[in-house]
Amino acid sequence: NAGVMQNPRHLVRRRGQEARLRCSPMKGHSHVYWYRQLPEEGLKFMVYLQKENIIDESGMPKERFSAEFPKEGPSILRIQQVVRGDSAAYFCASSPPTGTYEQYFGPGTRLTVT
Amino acid sequence: DQQVKQNSPSLSVQEGRISILNCDYTNSMFDYFLWYKKYPAEGPTFLISISSIKDKNEDGRFTVFLNKSAKHLSLHIVPSQPGDSAVYFCAARRNQAGTALIFGKGTTLSVSS
């Protein structure tokens, strides 16, 4: 039973480029969450999605960041016109539709903006 | 406004002894608490959780205690093993299904043999 998959594991972008981070939830999980971890910090919630719906994006920066979870395929976190401050580890988590509050995390994507 | 606080950045313990990791929270709307363990360059791994209606939950070597009146929880690891060396995050959830987890900054546990 595969866990949460994220790719790429490492991503290097120059300032002004776009970054696309992908997340495939665990089998049977229909809830996806994105978190960001800055150095020496805990994980900070960004967005919560279900298939084709954004449920809570209260942690998402208002500009340049967007997320989707289409009917088919992985969830995508997109960062346009990246800046050095976007350098961080981005983690995706998933949970089943009912019955548990635990979220299961992927290995993360480490974004470096040069 | 940190709602979940882990005031000890690090903790060192000898193998076989007890490790106690602490966590304080400020939001009385939290109804579920979780502990995650994280190794470098990996994602957090779920360890153990506790509902706000309980004061203790045990799973093997791991026990979580919750003191609601003090808004405090702790994770006990007995006996500690070198493989337990990692960063431990405390997280809390508001009382709605599927909402975000609020994480503390983590405590780095080092277990020496």
Side-chain angles (χ1 to χ4, degrees):
Chain A
N1 185 14
V4 178
M5 311 282 282
Q6 288 189 251
N7 68 80
R9 293 293 308 273
H10 300 275
L11 182 62
V12 180
R13 285 288 178 266
R14 291 184 179 159
R15 279 181 297 168
Q17 291 185 319
E18 178 180 288
R20 283 194 179 218
L21 290 63
R22 293 174 183 77
C23 169
S24 296
M26 286 179 70
K27 188 175 180 180
H29 288 193
S30 57
H31 297 198
V32 166
Y33 309 79
W34 286 93
Y35 293 82
R36 175 165 66 174
Q37 185 183 24
L38 296 170
E40 309 301 324
E41 295 286 326
L43 282 74
K44 297 276 197 249
F45 167 75
M46 299 181 75
V47 62
Y48 159 43
L49 311 101
Q50 296 176 17
K51 285 283 187 183
E52 299 185 280
N53 283 305
I54 297 174
I55 308 301
D56 180 358
E57 55 182 347
S58 58
M60 193 87 109
K62 294 287 182 261
E63 297 178 352
R64 301 188 298 108
F65 285 73
S66 62
E68 63 176 5
F69 189 15
K71 188 176 179 182
E72 302 290 337
S75 175
I76 307 280
L77 178 67
R78 183 181 176 204
I79 311 172
Q80 295 178 292
Q81 298 175 318
V82 295
V83 300
R84 289 223 171 100
D86 296 332
S87 295
Y90 291 82
F91 293 97
C92 168
S94 72
S95 66
T98 58
T100 178
Y101 302 143
E102 289 84 26
Q103 296 176 15
Y104 296 87
F105 283 81
T109 294
R110 273 138 194 92
L111 172 65
T112 302
V113 179
T114 61
Chain B
D1 61 335
Q2 247 193 305
Q3 299 184 67
V4 177
K5 297 178 185 178
Q6 294 178 256
N7 291 320
S8 297
S10 62
L11 175 67
S12 294
V13 171
Q14 280 195 317
E15 183 178 8
R17 306 293 290 267
I18 184 171
S19 296
I20 300 177
L21 297 101
N22 293 304
C23 178
D24 297 294
Y25 63 96
T26 58
N27 191 336
S28 58
M29 297 297 285
F30 290 148
D31 69 339
Y32 203 78
F33 303 89
L34 307 91
W35 284 93
Y36 285 84
K37 173 181 177 180
K38 186 180 181 304
Y39 293 118
E42 294 185 11
T45 302
F46 170 71
L47 266 180
I48 192 169
S49 60
I50 187 166
S51 164
S52 60
I53 62 172
K54 295 186 175 181
D55 55 18
K56 178 182 174 182
N57 188 26
E58 194 170 352
D59 184 1
R61 296 186 298 116
F62 302 91
T63 303
V64 56
F65 295 92
L66 175 62
N67 182 334
K68 280 185 67 177
S69 60
K71 293 192 175 67
H72 176 84
L73 63 156
S74 60
L75 174 68
H76 292 212
I77 307 173
V78 183
S80 302
Q81 299 172 353
D84 296 329
S85 298
V87 180
Y88 289 78
F89 290 100
C90 171
R93 196 199 78 103
R94 293 190 302 273
N95 57 353
Q96 291 176 12
T99 56
L101 295 179
I102 312 298
F103 282 84
K105 290 191 176 184
T107 296
T108 300
L109 173 65
S110 299
V111 181
S112 57
S113 53

